[in-house]
Amino acid sequence: MQELTLVVASKNYSSWSLRPYLALAHTGQPFREVVVQLGEADTAANIAKYSPSGRVPALVRGELVIWDSLAICEHLAELFPQAKLWPEDATARAVARSVTAEMHSGFATLRTHMPMNLRARRPGEGRAPGVAEDIARVTALWRECRSRFGQGGPFLFGTFSIADAFYAPVVTRFVTYGVELDAVCGAYRDAVLALPAMKAWTEAAHNEPPVARYEK
């Protein structure tokens, strides 16, 4: 197996980077990590060393470079089938892909007004028009997945999957902005936050220097 290198941006802010990090950590495979700090004069140049799109995350494996968070996770699922990054049941797998794709392409209002910031605590902020609707849709998805497919564990489809990796940044946003959750969604939030990889990412985020433009 060629060495895996995951290139990510500042951990306190980069929701896109967190997703493949959690998926890759779940495989149990060793990997090298490159963190490009945001807000520096050489940030763009450092990202360009690895990613043809000029954005991160990027996964490097030999001559292969994959530069989209969902594409990275799909590649990991193919590369390490034993990790079961997608549910084994065909129906559950189809739904998992649907909810993941919805997160990947949707919830723009929530993303804009509640940006990821693991260190911050801003209860009550970010409630712009449309945010409540995004929150309602996210929590409805969580409840539906837990009800239909969650019997085998604490995650959306029981055991950890790519779907959980994709909703992990939203979990952190709900903590940062003090979003109240019902018992089902609260338990799911706590399960995601308790992941060892999530704890490691959060600890690293707290040790990073702040970037002024992302702290506003």
Side-chain angles (χ1 to χ4, degrees):
M1 173 64 65
Q2 294 168 311
E3 181 184 56
L4 297 167
T5 299
L6 184 65
V7 186
V8 301
S10 298
K11 293 186 173 183
N12 192 52
Y13 312 107
S14 184
S15 59
W16 297 100
S17 298
L18 173 58
R19 295 161 177 160
Y21 173 86
L22 292 177
L24 183 50
H26 181 73
T27 69
Q29 299 296 316
F31 64 96
R32 186 170 74 96
E33 190 177 14
V34 175
V35 181
V36 179
Q37 294 299 327
L38 297 172
E40 302 290 337
D42 59 353
T43 295
N46 286 332
I47 291 174
K49 294 176 184 177
Y50 301 97
S51 175
S53 70
R55 297 184 177 187
V56 289
L59 180 70
V60 181
R61 185 167 70 90
E63 297 298 318
L64 175 65
V65 180
I66 308 170
W67 60 88
D68 174 85
S69 58
L70 183 52
I72 292 169
C73 290
E74 287 280 14
H75 182 67
L76 294 173
E78 293 177 351
L79 202 59
F80 306 112
Q82 69 279 7
K84 299 179 181 178
L85 283 169
W86 289 121
E88 291 186 282
D89 176 75
T91 298
R93 188 165 62 250
V95 175
R97 281 196 161 105
S98 294
V99 300
T100 298
E102 184 171 353
M103 184 71 253
H104 190 51
S105 62
F107 304 110
T109 306
L110 173 61
R111 297 175 196 271
T112 299
H113 296 285
M114 291 184 172
M116 192 170 95
N117 188 325
L118 298 181
R119 289 190 299 263
R121 291 295 180 269
R122 298 169 178 169
E125 294 186 21
R127 268 61 170 188
V131 171
E133 289 79 1
D134 278 358
I135 292 171
R137 175 59 182 162
V138 167
T139 53
L141 284 171
W142 290 0
R143 287 190 295 271
E144 179 182 3
C145 291
R146 290 291 302 140
S147 175
R148 293 179 62 190
F149 306 106
Q151 292 75 21
F155 299 103
L156 294 179
F157 295 85
T159 57
F160 179 86
S161 73
I162 291 171
D164 301 298
F166 266 71
Y167 281 88
V170 177
V171 166
T172 74
R173 287 174 162 103
F174 287 176
V175 173
T176 298
Y177 298 95
V179 175
E180 294 186 6
L181 300 173
D182 61 27
V184 171
C185 294
Y188 174 65
R189 172 201 60 207
D190 295 344
V192 172
L193 294 175
L195 284 165
M198 187 72 233
K199 289 182 175 180
W201 180 280
T202 301
E203 181 179 359
H206 279 263
N207 291 325
E208 289 178 342
V211 179
R213 62 179 289 194
Y214 294 103
E215 290 294 328
K216 295 177 181 179

